[in-house]
Amino acid sequence: MHAWDNLTARIRELDALGSANALLEWDQQTYMPPRAADARGEQVALLQRLYHERFTDPAVGGWLDQLEGAELDATQAAAVRILRRKYRRAVCLPTRLVEDLARARNDGFGAWVAAKQADDFSGFEAPLQRLLDLALEQAEFYLTPEHAHPYDALLEDYDPGSTVAELRPMFDRLAGELGRFLAAVDGRPHPEGFAARLDLDGQKRLSQRVLRDMGYDMQGGRLDLAAHPFSTGIALGDVRLTTRYEEDNFLSGLGSTIHEGGHGLYEQGLPARLAGTWLNSAASYGLHESQSRFWENFIGRSLPFCRYLVPRMQAIWPDLEVRPEQLFGVANRVERTLIRVEADEATYNLHIIVRFSLEVEIFSGKLRARDLPEAWTEAYRRIVGVVPPSPRTGVLQDVHWSSGLLGYFPSYTLGNLYAASLAQCLLRDLPDLWDRVERGDFAPILGWLRSRVHDRGHTVDAPVIVRDVIGDRDPVADLVAHLWSRHGAVYGVAQPS
Amino acid sequence: MHAWDNLTARIRELDALGSANALLEWDQQTYMPPRAADARGEQVALLQRLYHERFTDPAVGGWLDQLEGAELDATQAAAVRILRRKYRRAVCLPTRLVEDLARARNDGFGAWVAAKQADDFSGFEAPLQRLLDLALEQAEFYLTPEHAHPYDALLEDYDPGSTVAELRPMFDRLAGELGRFLAAVDGRPHPEGFAARLDLDGQKRLSQRVLRDMGYDMQGGRLDLAAHPFSTGIALGDVRLTTRYEEDNFLSGLGSTIHEGGHGLYEQGLPARLAGTWLNSAASYGLHESQSRFWENFIGRSLPFCRYLVPRMQAIWPDLEVRPEQLFGVANRVERTLIRVEADEATYNLHIIVRFSLEVEIFSGKLRARDLPEAWTEAYRRIVGVVPPSPRTGVLQDVHWSSGLLGYFPSYTLGNLYAASLAQCLLRDLPDLWDRVERGDFAPILGWLRSRVHDRGHTVDAPVIVRDVIGDRDPVADLVAHLWSRHGAVYGVAQPS
């Protein structure tokens, strides 16, 4: 088994390179001095090139060939399957296409920034079309007999195992259900507001307190500030979170902390014993997102959590007057709005479904860049029920396409769907869940997620991991029932039986 | 000139790798979570291995061969000379020796920690002898006809261009002069003390204020906390400092800040236009140290600087009562003590001279590990005038030998000597220096150092850079005169004419 030893040694080397790169990127968004930007770009580019060279080394393919013909235990077989898939994708693109993509992303991002600032799509049209053409070409190279649709080939970068054939009907059903829910809420009075100026140092202490209570290991991580909160699993024992605080809106910062904390708990729970196989990785972006959304939304926006929170807040701000019901109301406001990243838990998914439908049409050859502004507006009218007044709040709002990220959006709603069914199973297994949440006793929740999700790493694809937990539950029904039950209560409406 | 283009491209690549490594090491001492230690060790080892592989690539030797036979401009010629020297040293050690050294350093460090804790040299003797044997062997491989003494071959790692033949008589003279100075001070009353508890946040603001006034560019750097303060030039536009604060002893933390600030100003002033040649590097450890000591001692412990400091302190702590003369007295206390890192500006050099003499004897084959405790004690009695009661405060006090750092110590005193003569030249060129320091107008000082030292990078070796500024001044005489003049004044003694 020299091939296995060589392969895992190479993977450990790639992991160390990836860790160094992750630290460079973490630093870039937290502590890097402004004048370091150019040099940092060169450092990241070099490490990524070294990573690519060492992964696409023909020796790696040779070891995989040997292992595919050998007797393997279950772990080895799973690792070889995952590694072959990643290797095939890493080597199958011609250098010319990789370089064209890098250039088109660079041009596309610049053109998008300018177009958004000018609130005018026209300057972005040609660079976007170039990106779409290259993405189509890329999908052709990625395509295997397992892919029924070219879009499936791109999905595999983010949610391997998910397909248009499954997502489309699921998302269609979800859009219909959400439409009925929003129609019931439309015009009902919004919950009472809550306003307080809370000092940033106290907010930081609150965030750290909540993370510790959730079970996030501060000896193997940190919480820092960043303009755009993110989490990053740098290495074993090094999973870092970032958040941001606003004096006037502590729920926004705390929500970011809990969201990133959910990502961080997943990373901290990945199976360290599988180091060197890549089976110790997250199974998909969607599953990652299910963990952050589970904590942020299902736990963090619940009334019991608000009851847990209020005394912890008053320990920091003794004069603060706030009732759990106030926080609960503010956290569960529902409203049809234009901007995805500001959307509530229910409508958020409609924003994703708009983007998914457009991307599938692009990859079916039915939409070109020039058609997108109108198609976007039409889809928003039909699916979200609002019409963007101009491109800035419409087709130009997201950075993703300008950076060549196509196939990425579905992961967000997959995360919400996975989280909804996982939550219902957790409630079944832990009937006193809400009492525990109110007491801040989150350990059994984390333990449940650890054994059923985190500890499986990427030994199988995310749809299998989720299915093994939820059986034949219907995630669409679970998510919709949750929204009617929680947000419906806030708005005084009930799910029609 | 393909060879030149290839070579500089490779150097830029090595610089980017070195930068990534420097960030990993900075993070390790500032923000890294404790559980990340093992993984960080692997990351650093990998990047250092990749660095070594890409530098010792035979192609690099080939490009140097071609360039050595070609017509070169002055910059190219200087670069090829430096690169050839580094390349020769990087490729000349057999792999077996490199591995033995790594293992011996690892073992040596562990044995040193245990021996120091037990205050017993015996457990360190064998690992130290192993390190000395390997260092002797290493020096054999490094040796070229330019080296008159095996120790010169090791000095080259830290202070290329310095030799035993020059250092020994210079250090002997210095030891004699310092002995006379200390004899005059012995028994005289120490200056009045100064005690105040100053909050750490205020100390941080004071440190940042002083750094900005010195001309340190915060847009291209940062100041963080570390247990053992250091500075690191990570990349162009990214030169970071660390310091630490003690509530009861603000001068200690401020001294660290100014010292590291001096290193940082040097790094920020290296010639960016020479990127890709390594001529944009520090010329030596000794020259680096001259910059930190110049700011820390010559400027930072002067009475005018204390006059500058007091109003800045009172802006932070309005109730603080302190006179510049008090700070000046505390900062310039002289005392024969046992521990190098706690020594004053005068006796510090005697600690170095002890170590230098012992190292030269080791490399002359006259001392073995088992002889060192006694030789150390005897040298301290003779040179410093104190006798360590046990190994912990004697031969075991420093980490250097346990990590295989032999030839490193002289740089500290070289730095003090360089700084002393540079300071006298600065005073000649800027007669109102002390008025400016008192006003906090440090820009002309930095400008002078930039043009005469920083901007030369490593286009020539440090002794040449210094000689070009100081002409035939005698650094020993300059340092000794400075000590008599400043510390002598504090103790009421004058230099015999």
Side-chain angles (χ1 to χ4, degrees), chain A residues 464-476:
Chain A
V464 179
I465 293 173
V466 173
R467 194 48 70 194
D468 284 351
V469 186
I470 72 170
D472 54 8
R473 292 197 75 90
D474 173 6
V476 171

Side-chain angles (χ1 to χ4, degrees), chain B residues 59-295:
Chain B
V60 172
W63 299 325
L64 286 171
D65 289 344
Q66 286 179 48
L67 289 165
E68 280 159 349
E71 292 239 340
L72 301 176
D73 64 29
T75 297
Q76 290 172 325
V80 167
R81 195 177 59 83
I82 298 281
L83 288 163
R84 167 62 75 187
R85 192 160 71 185
K86 289 183 187 285
Y87 182 74
R88 204 189 66 77
R89 288 169 79 85
V91 298
C92 74
L93 299 185
T95 312
R96 188 260 317 151
L97 180 57
V98 172
E99 287 168 4
D100 285 352
L101 273 166
R103 210 170 303 114
R105 283 169 185 155
N106 191 56
D107 296 349
F109 181 76
W112 170 74
V113 169
K116 190 170 178 180
Q117 191 154 14
D119 201 6
D120 177 0
F121 182 77
S122 60
F124 185 47
E125 185 190 313
L128 177 58
Q129 187 58 52
R130 174 78 176 140
L131 280 162
L132 299 182
D133 289 340
L134 292 170
L136 283 159
E137 198 183 340
Q138 190 185 11
E140 290 292 323
F141 280 104
Y142 282 164
L143 214 59
T144 69
E146 291 168 33
H147 300 123
H149 192 286
Y151 191 69
D152 292 355
L154 288 183
L155 270 177
E156 196 177 302
D157 269 343
Y158 313 105
D159 266 84
S162 289
T163 62
V164 171
E166 281 181 321
L167 293 184
R168 188 147 47 182
M170 189 162 69
F171 283 7
D172 282 350
R173 279 204 301 129
L174 180 60
E177 295 283 353
L178 291 175
R180 276 183 284 284
F181 169 69
L182 289 178
V185 167
D186 278 340
R188 311 273 314 177
H190 286 302
E192 173 189 9
F194 167 75
R197 287 184 79 83
L198 298 176
D199 65 273
L200 303 187
D201 186 63
Q203 290 195 39
K204 177 178 164 184
R205 283 158 55 208
L206 183 66
S207 269
Q208 284 174 325
R209 170 69 199 265
V210 170
L211 283 177
R212 272 198 308 272
D213 287 350
M214 285 167 65
Y216 176 76
D217 175 11
M218 281 285 180
Q219 297 297 301
R222 333 181 12 94
L223 177 65
D224 296 281
L225 289 178
H228 302 283
F230 66 99
S231 64
T232 173
I234 292 178
L236 188 62
D238 198 354
V239 174
R240 305 188 187 191
L241 314 179
T242 61
T243 191
R244 67 193 153 114
Y245 308 109
E246 297 170 34
E247 275 202 340
D248 290 338
N249 186 358
F250 90 97
L251 272 177
S252 162
L254 184 63
S256 288
T257 300
I258 300 173
H259 179 98
E260 301 308 335
H263 283 304
L265 289 174
Y266 183 27
E267 291 280 332
Q268 289 189 329
L270 291 170
R273 66 185 177 283
L274 297 178
T277 65
W278 279 351
L279 299 178
N280 61 333
S281 312
S284 83
Y285 282 44
L287 196 58
H288 227 309
E289 200 67 11
S290 78
Q291 300 304 295
S292 55
R293 301 283 172 129
F294 169 84
W295 285 99

Side-chain angles (χ1 to χ4, degrees), chain A residues 29 64 82 85 95 112 119 172 175 197 207-208 245 274 279 312 329-330 367 400 402-403 418 422 432 482 487:
Chain A
Q29 298 190 57
L64 287 171
I82 298 282
R85 191 160 72 184
T95 312
W112 170 73
D119 201 6
D172 282 350
R197 288 184 77 84
S207 269
Q208 284 174 325
Y245 309 109
L274 298 178
L279 300 177
R312 274 78 185 175
V330 176
L367 270 183
H400 299 61
S402 79
S403 305
Y418 289 160
L422 290 172
D432 60 347
H482 159 73
H487 300 72

Side-chain angles (χ1 to χ4, degrees), chain A residues 273-318:
Chain A
R273 68 185 176 283
L274 298 178
T277 65
W278 280 351
L279 300 177
N280 61 333
S281 313
S284 82
Y285 282 44
L287 196 57
H288 227 309
E289 199 68 11
S290 79
Q291 300 304 295
S292 55
R293 301 284 173 130
F294 169 84
W295 286 100
E296 178 191 3
N297 292 338
F298 185 70
I299 302 295
R301 296 180 196 269
S302 69
L303 185 55
F305 189 85
C306 296
R307 292 203 179 106
Y308 149 80
L309 205 56
V310 164
R312 274 78 185 175
M313 292 176 69
Q314 285 165 339
I316 295 173
W317 300 287

